[in-house]
Amino acid sequence: MALGVVTFLSGSRSGVICFLAMFTIFYIKDFGWKTIIKLLVVAIIAAGVAATFISRLSGGDIEAIDRVVFFQGFLKAISGWGWQEYLIGSQTLTAMPESVCTRLQYYQSLFSAGKPGVCYSVILHTYLTRAVFDHGFFGLLFIFLAVNQLLKLSDVSPRARLACISILFLNGASVSSMNSVYAIVGLIIVMTALYPERLKYYGSSSAKSARELNAST
């Protein structure tokens, strides 16, 4: 409840969505593919309603939403890609098209310091589009699979792993996700905290080692 209150008071739209995803994953006991499909349908509908609501509040159309502008810039940047680029991304330090940089010129602090008017993938803000532009869909998939494997090696339960991956993915659709120090610190806490399941695991392992040591002596 405390986490929910803090999340909603923050006013972060991505934070509220991440909290909803985490809450749903932990509190829906019978979790299967049918449930996931139903949640995806609800999420798509909710996203459309939210986008319309925000657009009405700002007095403009949906293209006035900054995340929509970023995504349009991303689509413009990959419009000439072949299948290789979709898999592994663009060449290292590939600049965004001039038209994209011009449209996002109000983010001057994110432009190249040595080349005025030149911008790179960081201008897109959202982690998912930046990762795809730099590393392709294969690179994006590898990143999330690697995080899942690290969580698995740290004895994090499947449901908690799914919650972590979902939060990182949803956050990455809006802001920095794993490119943020807060996300990395959160992962470190999840992988190292002595929560009940891990205490139980290490307790049983210690007891087993002790029995084996006594048996050998």
Side-chain angles (χ1 to χ4, degrees):
M1 290 178 64
L3 179 60
V5 170
V6 171
T7 302
F8 280 95
L9 287 178
S10 71
S12 170
R13 289 168 291 185
S14 61
V16 170
I17 294 175
C18 290
F19 175 79
L20 176 61
M22 181 198 70
F23 188 88
T24 303
I25 290 170
F26 279 113
Y27 283 90
I28 293 182
K29 301 303 181 182
D30 298 325
F31 203 85
W33 285 110
K34 290 184 178 179
T35 306
I36 294 176
I37 293 173
K38 291 178 182 178
L39 289 174
L40 285 175
V41 173
V42 173
I44 292 171
I45 296 173
V49 173
T52 303
F53 181 75
I54 295 170
S55 176
R56 291 290 180 84
L57 283 179
S58 62
D61 56 17
I62 194 172
E63 293 187 359
I65 302 174
D66 55 359
R67 296 307 186 269
V68 175
V69 175
F70 298 148
F71 189 67
Q72 289 176 336
F74 168 71
L75 294 179
K76 177 71 174 178
I78 67 172
S79 59
W81 275 13
W83 65 269
Q84 300 96 330
E85 286 84 2
Y86 281 106
L87 288 179
I88 62 176
S90 58
Q91 295 293 322
T92 304
L93 292 178
T94 298
M96 302 294 291
E98 183 179 353
S99 59
V100 175
C101 297
T102 300
R103 189 175 185 187
L104 300 175
Q105 60 184 344
Y106 45 88
Y107 286 106
Q108 282 295 331
S109 60
L110 298 179
F111 277 60
S112 171
K115 300 178 181 178
V118 175
C119 64
Y120 297 91
S121 61
V122 68
I123 202 74
L124 298 175
H125 284 69
T126 60
Y127 180 79
L128 297 184
T129 54
R130 292 167 58 184
V132 170
F133 185 82
D134 290 332
H135 310 297
F137 285 99
F138 180 80
L140 180 65
L141 179 62
F142 172 81
I143 290 170
F144 279 95
L145 288 177
V147 171
N148 179 68
Q149 185 63 21
L150 288 173
L151 292 169
K152 187 175 181 179
L153 291 173
S154 301
D155 300 313
V156 179
S157 66
R159 194 177 292 268
R161 293 204 310 268
L162 178 60
C164 289
I165 296 297
S166 298
I167 289 171
L168 291 171
F169 183 86
L170 292 171
N171 185 261
S174 177
V175 284
S176 301
S177 186
M178 283 180 281
N179 203 47
S180 166
V181 65
Y182 302 107
I184 299 303
V185 170
L187 282 175
I188 292 173
I189 292 174
V190 170
M191 288 190 287
T192 59
L194 294 176
Y195 44 84
E197 290 83 359
R198 179 170 289 152
L199 283 173
K200 182 179 179 181
Y201 172 80
Y202 284 116
S204 61
S205 298
S206 299
K208 181 179 179 182
S209 298
R211 288 194 300 269
E212 292 175 349
L213 179 62
N214 291 332
S216 63
T217 54

